[in-house]
Amino acid sequence: MSQTPRRIDHVVVAVHDLDAAGAFYQRLGFQVGARNRHPWGTENRLIQFGNSFIELITVVPDAEAIADHAPGRFSFGGFVRDYLREREGLAMLALDSDDAVADAALFSEKGLGSFEPFFFERKGRRPDGSETQVAFTLAFASDAQAPMAGFFVCQQHFPENFWNPTFQQHDNGAIAIASVGMTAASPAMHQFFFSTFGGSAARQDARGLLSIDLREGALTIRPDPSGRAGLQLHSVTIRVPDAKAQAERLARSGIHFAATRAGLGIPPETAFGLAIFFEDGNAA
């Protein structure tokens, strides 16, 4: 199977209080979707862009019903449950897939974990309130040096029912997830994993920064100054049409932020464990 660069499909942000997180993202200027419940013990709310989205997720009160991991089987609910026992924040990264079954075979062949593809479907709601059907197949990959970070690719079976321009209208004008940032004690140790997972060669610069250019967007892994073992998913950069206007919005909402070279940033202690950067689309 020949690989081409993938794109960012979505990021999974694990939180204890789904409604509080949703209200915070609304203060950031995002349109946040209604709750969806999964049969494996989680609930989510989505923030959708043109071809990517942010998934805010939590575990349901009866979390003891969540299945544990088993040989060849990755438990999505189990991973979120275990992650939230340690922290809130960016728990998982999903890239797109045209054939998740083939991708699962590829990951197994390349030594990135041998997990069965995971198919699920659920009812969705159109903007007018009518019911629709969405379905997905996931193929998980595993980096042994990143036990607290989840990775998978996502194949959408009814994309016409999922992506909807009405859900993509945000007060802050957000356009897309521009990049996902990570930290690691030694980024070079993850070069093979991300080259395979992303379908694009990983490059390291003189500062030790590892970069993976995707079909749309990018992944970056910076040396962790704290020297913590393993890799941590750390940040999401969102492209907006006017970073100055977004800064004014955050100031009015009383949300702490700092100026960056590309726009502005919100620290993880303010944003449920996730560092959020806003990049000015006019400067991208």
Side-chain angles (χ1 to χ4, degrees):
M1 173 183 171
S2 62
Q3 279 195 276
T4 58
R6 302 184 190 274
R7 63 169 174 79
I8 297 169
D9 187 82
H10 68 282
V11 294
V12 180
V13 182
V15 299
H16 292 298
D17 189 329
L18 190 58
D19 287 335
F24 175 77
Y25 276 79
Q26 288 171 336
R27 290 173 62 205
L28 295 178
F30 293 108
Q31 177 183 178
V32 183
R35 279 180 178 254
N36 303 296
R37 176 167 284 214
H38 304 131
W40 51 86
T42 57
E43 290 185 333
N44 71 12
R45 298 182 69 181
L46 306 183
I47 300 163
Q48 188 180 121
F49 310 111
N51 59 9
S52 60
F53 63 97
I54 297 171
E55 178 178 12
L56 305 176
I57 197 164
T58 195
V59 293
V60 298
D62 56 340
E64 63 274 7
I66 294 176
D68 292 324
H69 299 294
R73 299 188 66 181
F74 186 97
S75 171
F76 192 100
F79 185 90
V80 175
R81 175 200 61 197
D82 295 346
Y83 187 93
L84 282 171
R85 285 173 176 167
E86 300 292 329
R87 71 194 79 174
E88 292 183 293
L90 185 53
M92 308 178 83
L93 167 65
L95 303 184
D96 75 315
S97 174
D98 294 325
D99 187 339
V101 172
D103 286 329
L106 172 70
F107 296 156
S108 178
E109 175 191 341
K110 298 295 185 179
L112 306 189
S114 297
F115 301 105
E116 298 173 2
F118 178 54
F119 172 82
F120 71 97
E121 56 187 337
R122 65 170 173 81
K123 300 295 184 183
R125 292 284 177 184
R126 297 185 178 91
D128 63 5
S130 61
E131 194 173 79
T132 188
Q133 188 80 4
V134 293
F136 315 86
T137 299
L138 312 182
F140 293 94
S142 176
D143 182 342
Q145 304 301 317
M148 288 298 292
F151 301 100
F152 61 96
V153 296
C154 178
Q155 179 183 359
Q156 297 239 11
H157 296 289
F158 302 109
E160 68 280 4
N161 292 343
F162 181 84
W163 303 108
N164 194 301
T166 302
F167 294 141
Q168 299 162 13
Q169 304 304 309
H170 305 284
D171 289 344
N172 60 21
I175 301 164
I177 298 175
S179 64
V180 174
M182 294 161 267
T183 61
S186 177
M189 292 179 61
H190 306 275
Q191 190 162 356
F192 176 77
F193 176 85
F194 282 101
S195 293
T196 305
F197 179 63
S200 179
R203 309 181 319 277
Q204 189 165 35
D205 66 14
R207 301 169 296 167
L209 174 71
L210 196 70
S211 300
I212 303 93
D213 292 328
L214 301 177
R215 193 167 74 250
E216 296 175 34
L219 308 177
T220 60
I221 308 174
R222 298 181 181 279
D224 189 340
S226 73
R228 290 178 300 180
L231 176 144
Q232 310 288 328
L233 289 161
H234 175 261
S235 67
V236 172
T237 298
I238 306 295
R239 188 169 296 128
V240 293
D242 188 337
K244 181 179 178 181
Q246 179 64 355
E248 293 171 352
R249 175 184 302 281
L250 298 181
R252 290 194 302 270
S253 297
I255 296 174
H256 173 68
F257 67 93
T260 67
R261 286 185 298 176
L264 56 98
I266 300 173
E269 55 269 24
T270 299
F272 294 82
L274 168 67
I276 304 174
F277 296 97
F278 291 95
E279 172 186 279
D280 196 316
N282 295 320

